[in-house]
Amino acid sequence: MMHATVFRRLSMLLAALTLAATTQLATAGDGEPHRKIMVSAEGKAQLEPDMAVITLTVSREAETARAALDAANTAMAEVLEAMRAKGIEDRDLQTSNFSIRPRYTYPEPRSKDGKRVPELDGYTVRNSLSVRVRNMERLGEIVDKSVDLGVNEGGQLLFTNQDPSPALEQARRAAVKA
């Protein structure tokens, strides 16, 4: 597991801002083609991430959809409780995906024509939680705790900023200056 300070060193490159200025020199309807002056510039700014968004998924399998759902709900309730205990606020916890799917097995061909007939083998329930971690120092322990509690899929990390507006303004100024 990478230490949180390594994550803080990652910098985000904000998208370049393109400015386009258009000036029409001829009046509309006079039959003359419109003449335009196009101006384009790019400005960049770097911003160190101060927040991470993690996707954590609990996946459970059982013979019935109800049993798989109950197991997934129990596991996710423990994850939610642990996230709150680690200081994550409810506003930073959001279900991001949920599914119930049948699971099939394909035994050896049973019919005379050689086709394999699928048999229902059970169900899989996946429940994903999006967690915004505003304290980057705690990122590693939050991921570790979620795995200890049975999160067995996901783990995607997105590094972002709570307020990118200063960097956007810096990029705009650089584009105008260019």
Side-chain angles (χ1 to χ4, degrees):
M1 177 76 42
M2 297 177 80
H3 192 269
T5 56
V6 174
F7 293 128
R8 299 183 92 192
R9 291 183 185 154
L10 296 173
S11 60
M12 181 187 346
L13 181 63
L14 295 176
L17 175 68
T18 302
L19 300 175
T22 304
T23 305
Q24 295 180 351
L25 301 177
T27 58
D30 64 358
E32 292 287 321
H34 292 284
R35 296 183 183 119
K36 297 179 182 180
I37 298 174
M38 301 291 289
V39 177
S40 178
E42 185 175 293
K44 296 180 182 181
Q46 291 185 346
L47 185 62
E48 186 175 326
D50 64 0
M51 180 171 68
V53 180
I54 313 169
T55 301
L56 305 173
T57 302
V58 171
S59 178
R60 297 295 184 265
E61 296 181 345
E63 287 185 27
T64 66
R66 170 50 59 194
L69 179 61
D70 289 346
N73 285 342
T74 299
M76 186 54 75
E78 291 175 6
V79 171
L80 285 166
E81 182 180 323
M83 294 298 110
R84 290 179 183 119
K86 294 284 184 190
I88 305 293
E89 296 179 27
D90 283 340
R91 70 183 175 127
D92 293 330
L93 300 169
Q94 181 178 1
T95 298
S96 59
N97 192 17
F98 180 84
S99 67
I100 300 174
R101 294 193 176 138
R103 191 179 66 236
Y104 294 96
T105 57
Y106 294 86
E108 293 301 315
R110 293 187 180 187
S111 61
K112 292 179 184 178
D113 63 1
K115 291 184 180 178
R116 293 173 24 168
V117 179
E119 294 178 355
L120 182 62
D121 187 43
Y123 292 86
T124 302
V125 172
R126 286 185 175 87
N127 190 352
S128 298
L129 179 68
S130 176
V131 180
R132 280 193 290 294
V133 180
R134 296 177 191 272
N135 181 350
M136 297 285 280
E137 297 289 328
R138 303 195 74 192
L139 182 60
E141 72 181 79
I142 288 170
V143 172
D144 286 343
K145 184 64 174 177
S146 66
V147 171
D148 290 344
L149 290 170
V151 169
N152 53 357
E153 289 185 27
Q156 295 86 1
L157 287 169
L158 168 68
F159 296 98
T160 187
N161 289 88
Q162 295 181 50
D163 182 16
S165 58
L168 288 171
E169 181 60 30
Q170 183 182 359
R172 281 187 194 103
R173 289 179 191 267
V176 169
K177 186 176 180 180

